Amino acid sequence: MADGVCAEAVVARLALHLQTGIRAAELAKIVLDIVPMNARDAERPQEIAGLLRRKPDVFATLRATGAAVRHTRDDGETGAAVVTRLASSFDAAAAISETASVQLASLGDEERLSATTDEVVAWLKQQDFSGTRRDILDIGCGIGRFEHALSNSFNRMVGIDISSRMISIASERCAALGNVELRQTSGLDLSEFDDGSFDCVLAVDSFPYLVLAGMADRHFDEIARVLKRPGWLALLNYSYRGSLSWDRADVGRLAEAHQMRVVINGEKPFRSWDGEAFLLARGGGTLLRAASSDVEPEAPKIGTDPKEESMAPAARKIGRGKQHGDERGLDGDRIKSDRYQDHAADQAPND
């Protein structure tokens, strides 16, 4: 609860990080014994325990969905092998729960997922990201929730994902939308698209998996290539490492290398999701927000490795919710990874 996320995100984090066989009812009792350090959180244990008691089967589903995606990288495992493994993992997660596979904090509930999606869409529109004359590329489109929610706010939208099952689900959801195209992709690059093909690129909870696979830099190269001038990149969650300072440093480095300007630098603007938002601009044009890339990243703590990421999705392709084991009181169950994680099942180019 340390960073003030909603109760649903806390439940999703517990499902991802608790490695014991404890059941939801038992966990609810433990939660009720917690005395929050911050008085403002006094009622939160009751809220979290209430969710666990009312939805014991859902908690089990979240754990299974999250467990379907492994967020660590084996020694000697190539980036391409990571992507192939993640594609199968996302297929498996979506087979367990379509909604939880793209956002664990939805608790597998379609209405809850729609509410979070609508909140992200409202934020994108507030930033003037969409527009009826704009063509948008959605990297890691998952089950097509943003294609459907934004369908009246763009000229053409192409959603790509490495998961064949998710693309199949997205195709059914978006079947009636003539301005939406969905493709299964290799996850290795954007070579199927021409230079300057898109006005905007959207990447929601997909970069953590690219980071895991060691392909974040390559995809920045590709995004810069397919973007028009002016063009915009909305990147929601860069990694699951649990360090905003590292993510800001990496995004700033990549933006500078590709003549892009950081307009929004890792803010957390959402109430129903703990995602961190980056907005970048390329070329001319104006955006509603002034550049905020002048936030100096704090120095990493001695003895830590920015390449080690904690596995904590609670929101998308298995969700998202970076974890700090000490802050969450989960006693060192922090899962290290080089990569991309959403919600409980680390992902690669996804939702």
Side-chain angles (χ1 to χ4, degrees):
M1 305 188 310
D3 55 0
V5 300
C6 63
E8 291 80 6
V10 174
V11 170
R13 291 175 172 184
L14 290 170
L16 278 178
H17 294 279
L18 284 180
Q19 302 302 305
T20 67
I22 189 170
R23 293 179 300 176
E26 296 172 297
L27 183 57
K29 293 179 181 179
I30 295 172
V31 169
L32 288 174
D33 288 335
I34 293 173
V35 178
M37 296 177 63
N38 191 324
R40 292 176 300 178
D41 290 333
E43 296 181 1
R44 299 193 69 211
Q46 286 85 355
E47 184 179 3
I48 295 163
L51 284 174
L52 291 167
R53 285 173 167 171
R54 292 194 303 273
K55 300 178 179 290
D57 295 337
V58 167
F59 187 68
T61 298
L62 296 182
R63 297 183 77 165
T65 307
V69 181
R70 179 163 57 87
H71 299 72
T72 56
R73 184 170 177 174
D74 297 332
D75 292 341
E77 190 177 23
T78 66
V82 172
V83 172
T84 299
R85 170 168 59 81
L86 287 172
S88 298
S89 298
F90 297 142
D91 287 348
I96 296 170
S97 172
E98 293 180 10
T99 52
S101 69
V102 296
Q103 186 181 36
L104 277 189
S106 70
L107 306 186
D109 183 85
E110 185 71 38
E111 290 187 8
R112 194 181 299 276
L113 179 64
S114 294
T116 301
T117 302
D118 290 345
E119 186 180 10
V120 175
V121 165
W123 180 85
L124 290 170
K125 291 180 178 180
Q126 181 183 7
Q127 312 313 322
D128 198 27
F129 181 82
S130 59
T132 55
R133 295 184 178 181
R134 291 181 177 171
D135 295 334
I136 300 175
L137 174 64
D138 182 11
I139 298 176
C141 65
I143 61 176
R145 59 189 180 122
F146 289 105
E147 283 71 15
H148 193 274
L150 278 167
S151 60
N152 295 322
S153 303
F154 54 78
N155 176 55
R156 169 175 170 259
M157 191 166 185
V158 179
I160 59 175
D161 205 289
I162 61 173
S163 167
S164 60
R165 183 180 288 271
M166 287 186 168
I167 286 293
S168 177
I169 296 169
S171 297
E172 292 182 12
R173 289 185 173 226
C174 301
L177 303 178
N179 58 346
V180 170
E181 180 182 346
L182 297 160
R183 305 183 188 180
Q184 184 180 2
T185 184
S186 69
L188 303 179
D189 54 38
L190 304 176
S191 58
E192 59 198 285
F193 302 111
D194 294 333
D195 296 358
S197 299
F198 299 98
D199 301 283
C200 304
V201 172
L202 177 65
V204 181
D205 260 328
S206 56
F207 256 82
Y209 304 102
L210 293 172
V211 171
L212 177 66
M215 295 183 178
D217 285 37
R218 180 188 301 180
H219 273 74
F220 250 87
D221 292 343
E222 289 286 82
I223 288 169
R225 180 182 63 79
V226 303
L227 270 179
K228 298 177 182 178
R229 291 178 178 270
W232 296 272
L233 166 62
L235 198 168
L236 305 186
N237 283 337
Y238 176 77
S239 82
Y240 296 133
R241 295 177 295 196
S243 173
L244 179 56
S245 63
W246 287 333
D247 289 352
R248 282 174 168 166
D250 279 356
V251 171
R253 170 182 61 82
L254 291 166
E256 183 176 5
H258 296 89
Q259 293 80 52
M260 302 176 78
R261 181 168 60 94
V262 180
V263 180
I264 294 178
N265 196 24
E267 296 180 2
K268 299 186 75 169
F270 311 113
R271 294 185 304 275
S272 58
W273 180 43
D274 55 350
E276 290 163 353
F278 293 87
L279 183 65
L280 292 82
R282 181 172 189 263
T286 59
L287 286 170
L288 297 181
R289 296 285 303 272
S292 60
S293 56
D294 55 353
V295 179
E296 180 149 345
E298 59 197 52
K301 296 178 181 178
I302 295 174
T304 58
D305 182 354
K307 292 184 179 180
E308 292 185 342
E309 304 187 53
S310 71
M311 162 183 146
R316 168 273 193 231
K317 260 187 182 168
I318 304 225
R320 180 272 183 259
K322 37 184 192 346
Q323 314 275 114
H324 304 263
D326 54 340
E327 290 183 358
R328 307 285 188 279
L330 295 183
D331 236 36
D333 259 312
R334 153 171 204 172
I335 299 175
K336 296 177 182 177
S337 144
D338 284 340
R339 112 351 121 187
Y340 227 43
Q341 174 256 186
D342 143 328
H343 68 33
D346 269 14
Q347 302 187 325
N350 269 307
D351 170 85

